[in-house]
Amino acid sequence: MDITILYGTETGNAEMLSEDLQSHLEANHDVELSNLSDFEPGSFDKGRFYIVVCSTYGDGELPASAQPFAEAMEAAKPDLSGIHFAIFGMGDTEYEDTFANGSKRMEDLLVSHGARKVGERLIHDASGPDLAEDLAMDWADARVAEAESLVDA
């Protein structure tokens, strides 16, 4: 399967996790990696599955590298019908009122333009006992398998 991992990051944690996901998935798939700040909304390809890794910053906002992408999406208003994506959120429950809102905003943005979410958004809690990579690999494998079944259907 052709996969693109898109990440939105403020401090680099989402980028590092995305690189780990790329290494994990590329044994069996063609995997590209891109910072959301470098990805144009018109670049979505119906032949690819998108995994989005997005952190949260400030008062539940998108991280710095995702903000230009969100602005470009709102300006271009692309039709993302036929685009499938999964989303992995990163947050910290110490910020209870805004926990993982960045990934929720990204999910809502993609869905509002017609993209279809595959599976549930998984959220990693930086204050929790698990490492993000310990959760992300199995989650990504399950989302890819689910996306493959959609393509084969």
Side-chain angles (χ1 to χ4, degrees), residues 3-7 15 18-19 22 31-35:
I3 300 169
T4 298
I5 301 171
L6 301 172
Y7 63 88
E15 180 179 9
S18 296
E19 290 169 350
Q22 180 183 26
V31 183
E32 296 178 359
L33 179 68
S34 180
N35 189 325

Side-chain angles (χ1 to χ4, degrees), residues 7-8 17 33 64 74 86 88 93 101 106 108 121 128 132-133 138 142 145-146 149:
Y7 63 88
L17 178 60
L33 179 68
E74 290 301 335
F88 187 96
T93 52
N101 281 1
M106 183 58 62
D108 292 345
R121 175 174 56 121
E133 56 270 19
D138 289 342
E146 193 174 344
S149 72

Side-chain angles (χ1 to χ4, degrees), residues 44-94:
F44 281 101
D45 176 353
K46 292 179 184 176
R48 300 191 73 81
F49 176 58
Y50 294 87
I51 295 175
V52 182
V53 178
C54 189
S55 64
T56 300
Y57 188 72
D59 293 325
E61 301 300 319
L62 290 171
S65 79
Q67 290 175 10
F69 172 79
E71 291 166 7
M73 284 281 290
E74 290 301 335
K77 300 191 183 329
D79 178 5
L80 299 183
S81 299
I83 300 298
H84 293 87
F85 76 98
I87 189 157
F88 187 96
M90 300 179 80
D92 190 331
T93 52
E94 288 199 20

Side-chain angles (χ1 to χ4, degrees), residues 16-28:
M16 288 186 292
L17 178 60
S18 296
E19 290 169 350
D20 290 344
L21 281 168
Q22 180 183 26
S23 295
H24 174 75
L25 293 169
E26 66 188 355
N28 299 311

Side-chain angles (χ1 to χ4, degrees), residues 85-134:
F85 76 98
I87 189 157
F88 187 96
M90 300 179 80
D92 190 331
T93 52
E94 288 199 20
Y95 302 96
E96 183 179 340
D97 293 340
T98 60
F99 174 60
N101 281 1
S103 61
K104 177 65 175 144
R105 287 175 185 248
M106 183 58 62
E107 175 185 328
D108 292 345
L109 179 66
L110 294 170
V111 169
S112 73
H113 288 85
R116 180 175 168 198
K117 184 176 66 157
V118 174
E120 292 302 315
R121 175 174 56 121
L122 183 63
I123 303 168
H124 174 256
D125 178 9
S127 292
D130 298 310
L131 296 174
E133 56 270 19
D134 291 342

